[in-house]
Amino acid sequence: MLTVLDRMTPAMAAATIVAAACFGRLVVVVLMLLVAPAAGGGGLAKDVGSGVGPTTLAMALATALPGLLGFAGHQPMGFATATGMTAVFLIWFRRLLLRRIGGSTGDCLGFAAYVGQLIVLLAATA
């Protein structure tokens, strides 16, 4: 992964790293919209995740968009690939969370953020 970033221009490497961070946080908001917090939990996911709606998603998109534009502009196929891979991940992860624990937890949201970041970084290598 680092060798791929070494081959990029400094500006493109920075845009990819920023996009990965923004994308990962956006994945968390989408997951909170798709999966309600697990019943019986009292953590942060329950406090924050229960209030997520379309307005929150729109705000998250507006906030993440500036960080994603550099990567999407330089690597449109990489961005499209990352978006598609993330959709597949979210469909699978949602089913897993609902089947296994009946909802999401803070740990699940953190895992989704890391997966979103990793997907962007892997898409940048393609």
Side-chain angles (χ1 to χ4, degrees), residues 7-105:
R7 287 184 278 173
M8 294 180 181
T9 65
M12 190 56 218
T16 301
I17 292 168
V18 169
C22 292
F23 196 80
R25 273 72 177 174
L26 185 58
V27 169
V28 170
V29 176
V30 173
L31 185 62
M32 286 192 296
L33 185 67
L34 295 175
V35 182
L44 184 61
K46 189 164 194 161
D47 296 339
V48 176
S50 58
V52 173
T55 304
T56 306
L57 180 60
M59 289 176 56
L61 281 168
T63 304
L65 194 59
L68 296 173
L69 286 177
F71 176 70
H74 283 97
Q75 292 194 6
M77 286 304 296
F79 183 73
T81 300
T83 303
M85 290 171 54
T86 301
V88 171
F89 165 73
L90 285 171
I91 291 167
W92 169 80
F93 198 45
R94 179 183 185 276
R95 290 184 66 200
L96 177 75
L97 291 176
L98 293 175
R99 185 176 63 239
R100 293 287 183 140
I101 59 176
S104 65
T105 65

